[in-house]
Amino acid sequence: IFIKCIYLFSTINNNYLSAALDSVKLKGRSFLTLKDFNAEEIKHILWVSADLKNRIKHRSEYVPLLQGKSIAMIFEKRSTRTRMSTETGFSLLGGHPCFLTPQDIHLGVNESTTDTARVLSGLADIVLARVYSHSSLEHLDKDASIPIINGLSDLYHPIQILADLLTLQEHYGSLKGLTLAWIGDGNNVLHSFMMSLAKLGVNLKVATPKGYEPDANVTQEAQLLSKQFGTKLQFLTDPMEAARDSNVLVTDTWVSMGQEEEKKRRLKDFHGYQITMQTGSVAAPDWTFLHCLPRKAEEVDDEVFYSPRSLVFAEAENRKWTIMGLMVCILTDYTPQIPKLKF
């Protein structure tokens, strides 16, 4: 009977592991939005990211998992963190990054996006594109035979959220049950949070001024996810109410690239949305602060931004480890060496 019980337990356990493995299929896939990835897939990317950080940063190992591979980096919009994290990360893994500015490649202008996608498919193993319009990514993905990574679009910024999730996992030890308060513009970063947090058991409270709410279609999808995973999702206009009892306070720029002409009006409309210690006074005792950067003082004051509660610089560094983890997941069959992370 004892032997039969052991055999039964082993069979159940193996079946469980096999099912978990079957739910993680990342190799060869594009990464345009976290909407397309389930909880186990997101967790696996973060696990690989943490493993690479441990091996390369803490153990000083050389891990050339992408040796002989190349990435084409298309940047319609400038960036410090996205460019540095991708270039240094791909190089650390033994690969060759190739940076393409609008002067090098002008999607759909000097050459059709279809032709560009086909050309790059023969010259590189993967593409990361940072674009104005999300439709440009979808067009690239449709016509390319290699994976496409969204480095930022007007609709989503999924690689930023991977860094944020790893940062919070490192700080809190797990994610399930946390409440994140977004205080600011209903933009692409918020949209990516809305497509991922519920899957990991994280509650979300959103405070935006009237007229700056997140996209209606994204909101509808987020409400379905919240219901499916049993999390709380609230949309508010009062920053203090959003901050109340929240573990994580998050904001972003109020004036994105391409919105400079709206700056004066936006600063007026976002009056009262600056995150300060007063905002934090109603948050949970263990509250922390995130910002994807670059940051302006009107969004968060120096007292919060440079305080021990601010995780922004760890968050910025984790952009490198998470883009490395993502690229390894998409291009290889790598299995991490560290134990699985707790979520």
Side-chain angles (χ1 to χ4, degrees):
I1 294 175
F2 178 70
I3 293 174
K4 285 184 178 180
C5 287
I6 292 177
Y7 175 77
L8 182 60
F9 175 79
S10 176
T11 302
I12 293 172
N13 192 46
N14 286 338
N15 288 340
Y16 172 79
L17 290 173
S18 177
L21 191 63
D22 287 342
S23 67
V24 177
K25 295 179 179 178
L26 298 167
K27 189 175 181 181
R29 289 177 61 183
S30 288
F31 189 79
L32 304 189
T33 167
L34 285 160
K35 176 182 177 180
D36 299 333
F37 292 80
N38 64 40
E40 292 306 314
E41 289 167 339
I42 296 170
K43 291 175 183 177
H44 188 83
I45 295 168
L46 297 175
W47 180 30
V48 172
S49 303
D51 176 84
L52 294 175
K53 184 176 183 179
N54 178 64
R55 293 188 64 187
I56 296 170
K57 180 180 181 179
H58 299 300
R59 290 163 51 183
S60 301
E61 293 184 24
Y62 179 49
V63 188
L65 295 170
L66 302 183
Q67 188 167 2
K69 297 188 183 297
S70 60
I71 181 170
M73 299 167 55
I74 301 173
F75 275 55
E76 291 185 341
K77 302 175 90 171
R78 66 186 183 274
S79 169
T80 300
R81 282 147 294 277
T82 302
R83 179 176 180 180
M84 282 296 295
S85 61
T86 307
E87 279 198 13
T88 60
F90 208 81
S91 296
L92 272 174
L93 293 165
H96 178 78
C98 186
F99 181 70
L100 301 167
T101 70
Q103 284 70 46
D104 303 304
I105 185 170
H106 205 171
L107 284 177
V109 179
N110 296 327
E111 184 173 45
S112 71
T113 302
T114 295
D115 291 356
T116 296
R118 292 182 178 181
V119 168
L120 291 179
S121 294
L123 299 174
D125 298 281
I126 191 168
V127 172
L128 180 140
R130 184 177 172 90
V131 299
Y132 283 99
S133 173
H134 193 75
S135 62
S136 296
L137 290 169
E138 294 174 331
H139 195 164
L140 277 173
D141 189 46
K142 174 178 174 290
D143 292 317
S145 58
I146 57 175
I148 308 295
I149 293 177
N150 179 358
L152 174 142
S153 72
D154 58 345
L155 191 59
Y156 294 115
H157 195 2
I159 59 174
Q160 177 63 51
I161 272 45
L162 293 178
D164 293 357
L165 293 174
L166 181 61
T167 304
L168 294 176
Q169 196 282 333
E170 289 174 337
H171 182 81
Y172 288 104
S174 64
L175 298 176
K176 189 175 183 179
L178 293 178
T179 297
L180 186 144
W182 176 273
I183 299 172
D185 193 12
N187 65 11
N188 51 1
V189 179
L190 172 59
H191 291 162
S192 289
F193 272 129
M194 292 168 68
M195 292 297 95
S196 58
L197 292 184
K199 298 172 186 177
L200 300 171
V202 179
N203 305 304
L204 177 61
K205 299 165 79 174
V206 177
T208 60
K210 289 182 179 179
Y212 294 91
E213 297 86 358
D215 178 85
N217 290 330
V218 175
T219 297
Q220 185 177 19
E221 182 69 25
Q223 289 170 331
L224 292 174
L225 288 172
S226 179
K227 184 176 180 180
Q228 178 184 350
F229 292 97
T231 61
K232 295 178 181 177
L233 175 63
Q234 292 179 272
F235 295 97
L236 311 158
T237 56
D238 182 354
M240 295 299 285
E241 186 57 32
R244 192 174 307 281
D245 299 323
S246 293
N247 306 98
V248 189
L249 307 183
V250 191
T251 192
D252 189 11
T253 182
W254 296 346
V255 185
S256 297
M257 280 182 271
Q259 298 175 336
E260 288 80 8
E261 293 183 3
E262 305 173 27
K263 182 174 181 179
K264 188 174 181 180
R265 175 173 60 82
R266 280 176 166 267
L267 291 180
K268 180 181 178 182
D269 292 345
F270 281 88
H271 179 72
Y273 276 74
Q274 183 191 47
I275 294 181
T276 65
M277 284 297 179
Q278 183 180 357
T279 317
S281 69
V282 299
D286 63 351
W287 71 273
T288 54
F289 173 75
L290 294 178
H291 192 304
C292 69
L293 305 179
R295 158 260 186 182
K296 301 294 188 297
E298 61 263 21
E299 300 150 6
V300 53
D301 68 7
D302 284 357
E303 189 177 8
V304 171
F305 188 77
Y306 293 109
S307 75
R309 293 187 180 275
S310 175
L311 305 179
V312 295
F313 296 110
E315 176 188 12
E317 181 192 333
N318 278 336
R319 285 292 305 276
K320 178 170 75 171
W321 304 113
T322 49
I323 193 65
M324 289 169 69
L326 176 62
M327 294 185 298
V328 165
C329 287
I330 291 174
L331 292 174
T332 78
D333 294 309
Y334 179 71
T335 300
Q337 297 182 2
I338 63 170
K340 280 194 173 183
L341 302 181
K342 181 182 178 184
F343 289 100

